[in-house]
Amino acid sequence: MQTINPSEPVISIQNLDHYFGTGQLRKQVLFNINLTINTGEIVIMTGPSGSGKTTLLTLAGGLRSAQSGSLQILGNELCKANAKQLTQARRTNGYIFQAHNLHGSLTAIQNVRMGLELQGKMSGKEMLMQSQKMLEEVGLGNRLNYYPDNLSGGQKQRVAIPTERFAIARALVSQPKIVLADEPTAALDKQSGRDVVELMQKLAKEHGCTILLVTHDNRILDIADRIVYMEDGHLVREERDFLQSIAS
C-alpha cells in the first residue's frame, strides 16, 4: 500500500481546463481550476446544475483523462493519462454515487466483496472477512446474506456505492486513500441522507480517507472541512468554517 505524507496533498489541480466535443462542437466546460486537497480532508463541491462539479469529480477519479493543465492524484499526473494509467489510478479510489447499482442476484456480502476482487490482492477467505468487517462497521452485520430487494433505500446506499461498483461498504472495503461521492443523498429523505453522510464522515476519519463530495444538498454542508463553490465551469470561491459563516 502506498504511504502518503500527511503534509502532501492527495489531490493537486493546477490551471486545469477541460472540453467536450471536437471541431466546431468543441465546448469548454472547466476553466483554469486550481484546487489542493490534503490527506484526511472532507471537501464538498456545490453549485448550480451544469457548473462542472461532476466533470471535475470524474477527472479526479480517473474516469476520464484530463486534457490541459495538471491534475495529480497521490503524486501521479493524470493529465493526458493513457487507459492503463487511468485504470491504475481508479484502484486507489472508492466511489459513492447516487445510484445503488447493486447486483440483485448477489447478497450484501457478495456485492461488497466485488470491490476487493477487482484489486486481486486477497485470498477468498480474506475477502470475505474484510467484507463482513466492513458491513459490520456500516451497521449491516445482521444483513450479510440479504439480497438487495430485502434492503431499505437507506440500507442499500450503505451497501452499494459506485462508479461501476457503489456503496459505503463497497467504497471503503479496499481501504482507499480517496473517496469520491456524487450526490450520495439525492434519493434519500432527510434523516437517511444525514445518516449516510455522518457514517461516511466517521468511517473516512477512522480509515484515514480523503473525501471529495459533490452535492446540491445544503443540509449536509456542515460535515465539510471546506466547501468549494463552482459556477459555469469556474471555481468561484472556497469556504472554511461553514457553521461559523452562516451564523455571522
Side-chain angles (χ1 to χ4, degrees), residues 41-78:
E41 271 196 298
I42 298 176
V43 175
I44 285 181
M45 284 196 295
T46 191
S49 295
S51 59
K53 304 183 301 299
T54 295
T55 298
L56 184 55
L57 190 78
T58 58
L59 290 171
L63 300 178
R64 53 165 57 102
S65 181
Q67 298 165 344
S68 175
S70 175
L71 194 161
Q72 294 190 7
I73 306 298
L74 300 173
N76 298 311
E77 179 62 64
L78 295 190

Side-chain angles (χ1 to χ4, degrees), residues 94-106:
Y95 300 89
I96 305 174
F97 292 163
Q98 178 181 345
H100 296 138
N101 282 24
L102 289 170
H103 291 265
S105 62
L106 301 180

Side-chain angles (χ1 to χ4, degrees), residues 5 19 25-26 32 51 66 76 79 85 98 101 107 115 126 135 152 154-156 167 188 196-197 209 217 221 246:
N5 187 331
Y19 303 82
L25 298 178
R26 191 171 191 244
N32 194 35
S51 59
N76 298 311
C79 188
Q85 291 169 324
Q98 178 181 345
N101 282 24
T107 63
E126 289 172 327
L135 283 164
S152 70
Q155 288 173 328
K156 285 181 185 179
L188 302 177
V196 164
V197 295
C209 294
D217 190 348
L221 297 183
I246 61 174

Side-chain angles (χ1 to χ4, degrees), residues 167-238:
I168 294 177
R170 192 185 294 178
L172 292 176
V173 70
S174 61
Q175 300 181 339
K177 296 295 184 184
I178 301 169
V179 173
L180 301 158
D182 193 359
E183 299 285 4
T185 66
L188 302 177
D189 60 40
K190 179 180 179 181
Q191 188 56 54
S192 296
R194 190 75 206 175
D195 290 346
V196 164
V197 295
E198 287 182 352
L199 183 63
M200 287 173 57
Q201 181 185 40
K202 172 180 178 290
L203 293 177
K205 292 297 185 184
E206 289 176 356
H207 289 264
C209 294
T210 298
I211 293 181
L212 178 59
L213 186 155
V214 165
T215 189
H216 288 101
D217 190 348
N218 292 333
R219 301 171 301 183
I220 66 170
L221 297 183
D222 59 295
I223 75 158
D225 297 309
R226 184 159 39 117
I227 301 169
V228 173
Y229 293 88
M230 293 193 66
E231 189 171 331
D232 296 328
H234 297 267
L235 195 163
V236 292
R237 73 180 190 278
E238 296 184 29

